[in-house]
Amino acid sequence: MTLEHPVHVAPPTPEPGLGEPVLGNYFVAAYPPFSVWTAAEVPALNEALDRTASSTPLGVYVHLPFCQKKCDYCYYLSYVAQPAPVVNRYLETVLQEAALYADRRAVKQRPVSFAYFGGGTPSMLSRAQVRRLLSGLREAFPWDEIEEVTFECAPRSVTSEFLVALRELGVTRLSMGVQSFDDTLLAMNGRTHLAADIQRAFRLVDQAGFDCVNLDLMCGLLGETEAQWRESVRRVIELQPDGVTIYQTEIPRNTRLCREFEAGALPAQPVSWDVKRARLGEGFGALEQGGYTVISGYNAVRNPERHRFLYQDHLWGGADLIGLGVASFGYLGGVHYQNRTTLEDYEAAVARGELPFQRAFKLSDHDRLVREFVLQLKLGVVPLAPFRTRFGVDPVEFFADPLQKLAAAGWLTCEENAVRLTRTGLLRVDRLLAHFYDSRFQSIRYT
Ligand SMILES: C[S@@+](CC[C@H](N)C(=O)[O-])C[C@H]1O[C@@H](n2cnc3c(N)ncnc32)[C@H](O)[C@@H]1O
Ligand code: SF4
């Protein structure tokens, strides 16, 4: 939502000296960048699916692309206010897609170690829908050894009955999108909830007995002041969730914020990256003072022994991931892929009995080494021994140039057994990753 009578401001120029445009992505979710994934590489994915199962952990991601309303900053694929029959048909398609995987050699009978239900807003499903989805997935895949099942929720859409159903269905980690505790700021960025909804939803979630409850905050929302950010951090710590994720607000090209920015119609200046980094640093500092431990460039947890985020750890450590649903991303046998990106194309492909792949990228051993190194840098520390064993390469020699350059700039240190980001490095980690990219992927578009 934008203000009814916006004050028109001129688009800001890039930040002086840094050349960091305010528009575009920050968070790096994959290597190589999505822009080099193509339909021509889909056969490599089918070959990977026909190979013998590997011993790497296997995860399942399910995209649930339904929301009450589109937030102004949101770049995820989601459909607004869809009636129950549309959602039911979608869930049946996801289960048919799961059944198509279940017969493929690389995943057949392989236990699922972790699952993630993301969106969209998964908590928009009804109890009956979520039961149908979870029980169908259990039929398709061996689910009993699963270590972590994450389910994303938005504050307005949770009820205690729904949460009890999630617990009974084996959800272990509940992740709620809070973003801010300031009602004006929430409205200005197009959120439907208010701070009071967060309080109410958190009480219910806390009572439901999940192993881990995580709350997402966004720093640098449009119009955010220093005082509003501090207050949001204070309020989140007051609630004492098991984990807190802080995202630096991005303004990707396909968002309403971006369109309004380009039309010169934003009600405030976007927050600069320098300020977002400073607010993330301040947020992490306050969380640490409150007893939390920072475990990545985005996450802090109360108890790192109990509340690691396994989905992230596994995925960035090279695990396989089956991506189910429209536009979903997966990674199998060293091949990155994405599903068809419209509901129509996705449902039509599955109805024909095909896995609905749109584009893929087969990584060489060299690409996999870079992929795992850069993704693990996002955790703040990369242990070197696994790279020496698995790839027969010492990352300190392999990446000697970028490591020296970034160490000289104060972003990281090289130890005997690990590469470790400094705190200032961690706050800008996604900006540092391209230094490690193969020359084929330097200076190309992200998506
Ligand atoms: C799919 S949403 C989570 C569930 C639910 N849809 C919600 O918004 O509450 C995942 C998280 O991504 C983050 N996010 C979404 N758009 C973002 C953006 N443009 N920049 C940074 N973080 C963003 C938000 O913190 C959000 O909670
Ligand atoms: S941020 Fe979450 S609730 Fe908002 S549109 Fe995106 S997926 Fe939906």
Side-chain angles (χ1 to χ4, degrees):
M1 195 174 85
T2 49
L3 296 180
E4 219 175 326
H5 300 292
V7 180
H8 290 222
V9 291
T13 46
E15 292 165 55
L18 291 170
E20 276 182 290
V22 291
L23 300 183
N25 291 93
Y26 168 73
F27 192 93
V28 172
Y31 174 86
F34 301 106
S35 61
V36 297
W37 304 12
T38 63
E41 297 219 25
V42 166
L45 175 58
N46 276 306
E47 282 162 28
L49 276 165
D50 289 332
R51 282 201 291 271
T52 321
S54 94
S55 56
T56 183
L58 175 67
V60 172
Y61 174 87
V62 185
H63 190 58
L64 296 164
F66 303 107
C67 290
Q68 192 185 346
K69 173 186 174 296
K70 197 84 193 159
C71 304
D72 292 354
Y73 52 75
C74 180
Y75 56 98
Y76 296 98
L77 177 73
S78 64
Y79 300 88
V80 169
Q82 295 298 307
V86 172
V87 179
N88 287 337
R89 193 182 66 219
Y90 180 76
L91 298 179
E92 292 310 315
T93 309
V94 166
L95 294 178
Q96 283 167 33
E97 184 190 5
L100 292 171
Y101 275 100
D103 273 344
R104 302 297 289 264
R105 195 159 165 221
V107 293
K108 197 169 182 164
Q109 299 306 323
R110 220 169 127 192
V112 175
S113 301
F114 57 102
Y116 195 103
F117 294 85
T121 309
S123 53
M124 295 271 298
L125 297 189
S126 69
R127 271 184 291 164
Q129 286 166 336
V130 86
R131 279 202 189 100
R132 169 74 188 128
L133 178 61
L134 266 293
S135 62
L137 289 173
R138 280 172 180 275
E139 279 170 32
F141 304 115
W143 202 263
D144 289 341
E145 293 172 31
I146 205 149
E147 298 170 82
E148 179 187 271
V149 180
T150 298
F151 200 94
E152 283 182 350
C153 289
R156 273 246 160 123
S157 52
V158 299
T159 62
S160 63
E161 294 78 12
F162 185 77
L163 295 168
V164 168
L166 290 185
R167 274 297 296 121
E168 286 170 3
L169 290 163
V171 170
T172 63
R173 182 175 182 277
L174 197 109
S175 182
M176 189 156 73
V178 163
Q179 326 312 358
S180 168
F181 284 81
D182 188 284
D183 288 346
T184 313
L185 207 52
L186 287 165
M188 190 166 171
N189 285 269
R191 289 295 283 187
T192 56
H193 72 259
L194 300 170
D197 297 313
I198 305 168
Q199 300 287 147
R200 182 198 65 90
F202 186 79
R203 252 196 319 276
L204 298 181
V205 167
D206 201 30
Q207 283 160 7
F210 294 97
D211 294 352
C212 179
V213 173
N214 187 81
L215 301 184
D216 289 346
L217 287 181
M218 288 170 70
C219 65
L221 282 167
L222 183 73
E224 181 191 78
T225 64
E226 175 73 33
Q228 284 168 323
W229 171 242
R230 277 207 189 132
E231 179 62 7
S232 284
V233 173
R234 190 192 69 73
R235 301 260 315 254
V236 90
I237 295 173
E238 194 172 74
L239 291 179
Q240 287 286 295
D242 302 307
V244 178
T245 303
I246 304 178
Y247 293 107
Q248 300 185 54
T249 303
E250 308 169 76
I251 310 183
R253 294 272 162 199
N254 60 348
T255 58
R256 179 172 180 158
L257 271 190
C258 181
R259 288 189 292 278
E260 294 193 352
F261 173 78
E262 287 178 329
L266 280 183
Q269 291 277 5
V271 175
S272 77
W273 287 103
D274 269 351
V275 170
K276 284 185 247 199
R277 280 190 283 273
R279 290 191 185 161
L280 174 63
E282 196 185 311
F284 276 169
L287 283 158
E288 284 172 328
Q289 283 207 333
Y292 285 77
T293 303
V294 172
I295 59 162
S296 79
Y298 328 90
N299 304 92
V301 293
R302 263 198 307 151
N303 180 345
E305 304 301 315
R306 278 189 55 201
H307 299 132
R308 283 217 64 99
F309 181 15
L310 292 180
Y311 171 82
Q312 196 166 274
D313 287 351
H314 279 312
L315 198 62
W316 295 352
D320 282 342
L321 182 74
I322 292 175
L324 298 176
V326 61
S328 235
F329 294 102
Y331 180 72
L332 278 166
V335 184
H336 264 308
Y337 68 95
Q338 184 181 23
N339 275 352
R340 303 290 173 98
T341 53
T342 68
L343 207 47
E344 297 72 29
D345 284 356
Y346 165 73
E347 291 185 340
V350 176
R352 290 193 299 272
E354 292 167 19
L355 282 171
F357 303 138
Q358 172 142 326
R359 55 177 180 164
F361 187 93
K362 181 178 191 293
L363 285 81
S364 63
D365 287 349
H366 171 279
D367 295 333
R368 283 196 301 117
L369 163 70
V370 177
R371 174 183 183 271
E372 285 177 36
F373 188 82
V374 298
L375 292 179
Q376 286 176 41
L377 263 184
K378 287 154 71 77
L379 297 170
V381 50
V382 186
L384 300 175
F387 285 86
R388 293 175 180 140
T389 318
R390 291 184 48 219
F391 296 101
V393 162
D394 188 334
V396 175
E397 287 165 23
F398 191 84
F399 294 118
D401 286 351
L403 286 174
Q404 272 163 21
K405 197 165 148 200
L406 298 182
W411 307 133
L412 56 80
T413 56
C414 290
E415 299 166 6
E416 199 181 325
N417 293 317
V419 170
R420 194 177 298 277
L421 291 182
T422 58
R423 178 52 58 92
T424 50
L426 190 65
L427 300 178
R428 58 185 307 125
V429 58
D430 294 78
R431 289 270 186 261
L432 304 180
L433 304 184
H435 288 276
F436 298 90
Y437 289 8
D438 186 81
S439 55
R440 288 152 36 226
F441 309 125
Q442 299 273 353
S443 316
I444 60 169
R445 271 189 308 116
Y446 177 63
T447 53

